[in-house]
Each structure stands twice: as structure tokens, then as C-alpha cells.
Amino acid sequence: MAGDYYEILGVSRSADKEEIKRAYRRLARKYHPDVNKESGAEERFKEINRAYEVLSEPETRARFDRFGEAGVSGAGAPGFQDFGDSFADIFESFFQGFQGGVGGPQQQGRRRSGPVRGDDLRLDLRLDFREAVFGGEKELRIKHLETCETCTGTGAKPGTRPQTCSTCTGSGQVRRATRTPFGSFTQVSVCPTCSGTGQVIEDKCETCGGRGQKEVMKKLKITIPAGVDNGTRLRVSNEGDAGKLGGPPGDLYVFLAVNEDPLFKRDGTNVSSEVKISYLQAILGCRLEVETVDGPTELLIPSGTQANTVLTLEKKGVPRLGNPVSRGDHLITVSIDIPTKVTAEERELLMQLAKLKGDRTGKGGLEGFLGNLFQK
């Protein structure tokens, strides 16, 4: 079955291993005899498998690149061969969902004899409004897995060491060959004795029970940057579960939620609030002390201020996340308090003012004066 294996898989000669695998998966699904009943599909399927057999292994690929078919003619017969772990995954993807198909959950296992990265952890943290605005340090308590100090992560009793699994001879996998009308299939599954690690522990560590890890509660200080908001996610490197077999630890992800504040509302980097003034303060203007996230600040109320006027305190809002020097504004909405009752003396003064105002505008009466004064 001589031919250009790169052309058969539809890849370039510079294609990497993953690109070759993807091309093989796509074509093998298309021409598999259980799926494609067209004439010549079975032969095409065998060509595809032969091409992948040669190009998936660096040594045979190098010989093919140098000598062509003659360089790999002894590498194996056409049809299915033992493709190792990668083929186990591909083989499962072909037959999953086909009635009577070979493969299944057992084939999903991989040998775990090498270092394994620890799991990432998630922690939800609630902040007060001002904590989110200005950030700061927070102390957390997390429960995670750490490498057992007694056995240094091996799981074996001190003075002993894990032994090579006799069932799989340390490979972490067992293989079973099955012959079908379409060739010989090799089914790869996790070794049931060592669960894929390739090793067995005869004398287990008493501290961790052979797991190589133990669960501990840890205190941790993290820095909350200024300007965080609901849904902000912080990553704390290497504070997840410890890795196995010398692998690196996972990370801790902290998801933030911010409490509402009775005085302030937030819109991006801007803060908003309200202030209520008297009708005389609105007419004459004044200076008021108002509360901001920075503390009390003086606010100028211009004379003649109307209801629902929005006054701005620049750079008194929320720092921009990642650039705390840049801040939003504080927007203050003014409402005017109109008294429902006045004293006789106040009424007399208001009547005189209304009469004066009415003489100038042609609209007499207290109601007309106040209506003109506080129109929105």
C-alpha cells in the first residue's frame, strides 16, 4: 500500500503530531466501515490507518521522510496496529454510541506515573462597599490538600517505597487484543491493580493512609486591589491542592461579591448619592457637608438650584481596577424639602415675598410664587 501518507491524511509535511491526529480522527470517522458503506471505503480506511501508523511515531515518520515507503515497509502490516494511548482515545470516539461497539469507560484512563498538577480551588468572598472601592488585605481560611510531610508524598511508610505493579509491569495500563473482520483491535484500559499509577504501596504511610496527601486548614492573607466589583475573580497562584508525584500545586480562585451600601450606589467607576436641602437653601445657595467614600466633603449648592439637579464631585468615585490613580466621579442628586406647615410669622414673610414676586411677574399668590420657584 505504497503512497504519500501526508497526502492521504491531507496534511503538510511540516504538520505536528496534534494536526496529524486531528486529520486522522476526521477521516477515520468518515470512512469507517460501520459508517460508510460505499465501495472502496474499507480500503480507504486501511490506507488512513496505515498513514497514521507511520506518521504518528517520530522514528517511522523520520524513515518515511528520508526513504519513503521502503523505509517503513517493515514497521508493520496494513490495518490496525497497537497505537498506544492516543489510539485508545480515538478508538473510543469511533464506537461510542454504536451498539455492540468495543471500548468504553475503561479506555478513558491514562497512566498517571508522572507528575500530576493539583486541583484548583474556588472560594467565594463577600466585601463591604468601601473594601471593594479601596481594596486592602483580607485573611482567609481555606481547606486544601498538602503533600504529606511524613512520606513526602509517596504514600509509603517511611523506610519503604512503592513497588512496580506486577499486573501492568509499571505501565499503568493493560491491553487486550480483539480480532474482528476489519483487523485486530487493541483495547487499552487502566490497570485495575494500581489504578494507572504503575506502582503499588505495600506498607502505607500511617499519616495519610497511602494517599500521599492530607487535608489541612490554612490561614492565608490576600491583597484585594482597589476598584473590584461583583463577579471579579482573583487568582492566588499555588494555593490550591498539592500536586501528586512531584507535580505543581493548583491555584486558588477567589470570587468576589460586594455588599450594598445604604448611602451610595455604584455605576462602573462612578458613585451616586442624594442630598436633601430646604427651599431657602435652594433659593439662596449654601455650602453643605456631604458624605463621600473618602469621608465628609464640602459641597457647594449654587443659588437657584432646581430639584433633581445633579452636582458632580470630580475624582471622588471608585479607582479604576488596575489603575488606582484614575478615579470616577461622585454624582449627587439634589432634592428640595418643601415644608407642609409653616408658622404664622413664616407665612407672613412668605406672603410679602409672594406679593413682591407677583407684582414683578403679574402672577400673584403664594401658590403661584412657589410653583414658579420650584418648577422642574
Side-chain angles (χ1 to χ4, degrees), residues 32 34 91-92 94-104 107 187:
H32 193 281
D34 284 352
F91 181 75
E92 179 189 4
F94 292 156
F95 288 94
Q96 192 169 21
F98 285 93
Q99 185 175 2
V102 184
Q107 290 176 312
Q187 182 180 0

Side-chain angles (χ1 to χ4, degrees), residues 242-312:
K244 296 180 180 179
L245 304 174
D251 297 328
L252 171 66
Y253 288 91
V254 182
F255 287 76
L256 303 179
V258 182
N259 292 327
E260 292 186 358
D261 190 273
L263 295 179
F264 308 120
K265 300 292 183 183
R266 178 175 173 177
D267 182 13
T269 59
N270 289 335
V271 172
S272 62
S273 65
E274 296 182 357
V275 64
K276 183 175 286 189
I277 62 175
S278 71
Y279 66 97
L280 294 176
Q281 289 173 319
I283 296 170
L284 301 174
C286 64
R287 290 182 180 273
L288 292 177
E289 187 178 83
V290 295
E291 193 68 29
T292 71
V293 293
D294 294 299
T297 300
E298 189 177 76
L299 174 68
L300 173 63
I301 305 292
S303 60
T305 295
Q306 303 295 307
N308 297 320
T309 296
V310 178
L311 302 177
T312 301

Side-chain angles (χ1 to χ4, degrees), residues 191-251:
C191 175
T193 303
C194 65
S195 300
T197 63
Q199 297 178 327
V200 293
I201 301 173
E202 296 178 352
D203 296 320
K204 295 183 179 180
C205 171
E206 295 179 357
T207 302
C208 64
R211 295 187 299 273
Q213 297 175 317
K214 60 179 181 178
E215 190 174 63
V216 298
M217 181 68 75
K218 179 179 181 179
K219 288 184 179 180
L220 179 68
K221 283 188 177 181
I222 66 170
T223 300
I224 306 295
V228 296
D229 203 352
N230 280 309
T232 299
R233 186 186 72 170
L234 305 179
R235 181 171 69 91
V236 187
S237 300
N238 302 325
E239 291 297 345
D241 284 341
K244 296 180 180 179
L245 304 174
D251 297 328

Side-chain angles (χ1 to χ4, degrees), residues 74-85:
F80 279 105
Q81 302 295 322
D82 181 4
F83 289 89
D85 292 350

Side-chain angles (χ1 to χ4, degrees), residues 64-85:
F64 177 76
D65 289 344
R66 187 173 182 182
F67 302 109
E69 175 65 21
V72 294
S73 59
F80 279 105
Q81 302 295 322
D82 181 4
F83 289 89
D85 292 350

